[in-house]
Amino acid sequence: MGENRLRFAPSPTGYLHIGGLRTALYNYLYARQTGGKFLLRIEDTDRTRYVEGAIENLLKELEWAGIVVDEGVVLNEEETPVNKGECTPYIQSERVEKGIYNKYIDKLLEEDKAYYCFCSQERLDNLREQQKADGMVPKYDGLCRGISLEEAKKRVAAGEKYVVRMKLPANKDITFHDAIKGNVTINTNDMDDQVLIKSDGFPTYHFAVVVDDHEMGITHVVRGDEWLPSTPKHVYLYEAFGWNAPEYVHLPTVLNKSGKKLSKRNDDVSVADFRKMGYLPEGLINYLALVGWSPESNEEILSMDELIKQFTFDRVSKSGGVFDKEKLDWVNGHYIRALELPKLAEMVKPYLLEVGFINDDIQEERLELITSTFQESISKLSDIVEQSEFLFVDKVEIIEEDAKEMASGEQVPSLIEAFKNELEQVEEVDEEFSKTIMKKIQKATGVKGKNLFMPVRAILTGNVHGPELVNVIQILGKEGLLKRLNDFKIA
């Protein structure tokens, strides 16, 4: 096929994990940079863990993230997963139905590189327990290795339950090069005669992955480093078949701030969680690329195109990358501030609707005014709710000491009186009123500077810091302002 071909091959066992998205991203960046192809294969041979709808969810999350699948499983116009490409099918269970793995397992059996094993689960469990008790590494003891192929086939034909195992040579060093870890060597004496075909007739991951990667012309296997211990088994299978092994790249684990692996129990881990919180795909992808990789330019804000230009595996860290939500917020905030106001307003609208701060028929102009008030301060779309809450509550509570101090000053009653007088002279509060009101209060009371602005801000918002007062006054409107001025008292 000539070109670089990289694949992301998840199992449909739930929602796309943030670590899985990073693996997909690194595969995609390298494929794009080298003019190659990015494939998506679904590895669903473990039928016990299959989750309905997981494939559709996975494809939608990749599309949202801007990762385009060139070949493999894609969504059609009806949003149904379909196969696209010359190595179809790309779903392992469909490949089992087509009998794709049978010819390969037959070849290994005929060449005495694999064998039928008839051991019961009970025997295997007892063996494992005994080995553990003896301080040994649990592995199969090779009891069925000596059964001739002819006899084994008779036992299979008679209906005996079996698995097929790999027949590893004794005391052989298996060496492979990993782009991040360097050279790795493991001796076959420390390996197990891996099951290749399970008792349900399905291939194991270890067998199917090698056959599929070979048939699909995969040139680089880029995956999490939890697969590193399994790689010698895969390398040996390539050798047994007489095939060239792909290049291996085992990525460091994504860790939380405590230095532990991200876990569902303690961390937000699904891409859907981040999407729901209102992270932008550009922000999440930009940040995620930097978890375990750094560009030569040391830039931190990089678009997908810039990531493609700069990405290399030799700048991927050997140790785990820490997923720091504060840093993600900083990166995502950059993309929020770069959005055009009408677009951002449409994006925050569902969050304000959900909590009942606004109605669906809100005027565009008012929604944009609310949005522009917080565009500089929100890091993700959902932040708009907490930050704008003071605008929509019936009563503002002044809790902070600074605000209490400013709002209890002797000048406060005269400021409130002057503000109310100005409000009584207008039909509605518009931009012009909002821009000039503080000057008018200053003129009427002689109070200026922080003794003017801070108490007014505290009375209207409950705080001495916050967004543009001009915007706040306009959003609250005449009715809202009068209510706050009339209701005012220190909490």
Side-chain angles (χ1 to χ4, degrees), residues 60-172:
K60 282 176 188 166
E61 299 296 14
L62 288 178
E63 191 182 333
W64 171 80
I67 295 174
V68 181
V69 175
D70 299 312
E71 193 181 308
V73 184
V74 295
L75 287 177
N76 63 12
E77 284 176 8
E78 288 78 47
E79 298 205 330
T80 306
V82 292
N83 288 293
K84 168 193 168 187
E86 61 197 58
C87 303
T88 187
Y90 295 87
I91 297 177
Q92 277 184 344
S93 54
E94 290 177 17
R95 294 173 70 75
V96 171
E97 283 165 27
K98 284 189 79 172
I100 285 170
Y101 305 103
N102 298 350
K103 63 178 177 182
Y104 293 108
I105 206 69
D106 288 347
K107 182 176 163 61
L108 291 178
L109 285 163
E110 293 299 332
E111 293 176 4
D112 200 28
K113 290 170 180 168
Y115 59 96
Y116 289 101
C117 171
F118 301 95
C119 292
S120 67
Q121 193 56 51
E122 190 186 1
R123 179 184 185 273
L124 295 173
D125 290 344
N126 290 339
L127 173 68
R128 181 175 282 268
E129 289 310 312
Q130 189 57 55
Q131 286 172 330
K132 275 187 187 167
D134 295 342
M136 295 161 69
V137 176
K139 56 187 252 190
Y140 182 60
D141 61 357
L143 181 72
C144 295
R145 279 177 80 121
I147 301 169
S148 72
L149 185 56
E150 195 183 352
E151 188 196 332
K153 281 183 174 175
K154 281 180 190 164
R155 289 173 70 171
V156 169
E160 257 191 82
K161 207 173 173 189
Y162 69 90
V163 297
V164 177
R165 289 182 182 273
M166 183 158 66
K167 197 172 210 173
L168 284 173
N171 194 24
K172 176 183 163 74

Side-chain angles (χ1 to χ4, degrees), residues 450-465:
K450 74 170 195 173
N451 291 331
L452 164 65
F453 281 90
M454 283 189 166
V456 171
R457 185 184 279 282
I459 293 161
L460 299 182
T461 72
N463 207 316
V464 287
H465 305 289

Side-chain angles (χ1 to χ4, degrees), residues 180-235:
I180 295 168
K181 315 284 179 189
N183 288 332
V184 180
T185 301
I186 294 186
N187 191 280
T188 52
N189 288 354
D190 300 319
M191 291 163 63
D192 203 357
D193 278 1
Q194 183 69 44
V195 173
L196 303 177
I197 301 290
K198 296 179 284 187
S199 55
D200 61 5
F202 269 70
T204 58
Y205 167 80
H206 302 288
F207 183 54
V209 77
V210 169
V211 170
D212 291 346
D213 283 345
H214 171 71
E215 282 214 338
M216 293 176 189
I218 300 302
T219 57
H220 297 71
V221 169
V222 182
R223 58 191 176 193
D225 61 8
E226 68 270 21
W227 293 110
L228 193 69
S230 306
T231 305
K233 302 167 187 173
H234 306 164
V235 171

Side-chain angles (χ1 to χ4, degrees), residues 43 47 73 91 126 156 162 167 181 190 219 225 241 325 347 372 390 397 412 426 444-445 462:
E43 303 196 335
R47 303 308 289 168
V73 184
I91 297 177
N126 290 339
V156 169
Y162 69 90
K167 197 172 210 173
K181 315 284 179 189
D190 300 319
T219 57
D225 61 8
F241 281 120
K325 253 180 152 175
M347 290 169 91
S372 72
F390 73 87
E397 277 196 61
V412 170
V426 294
T445 61

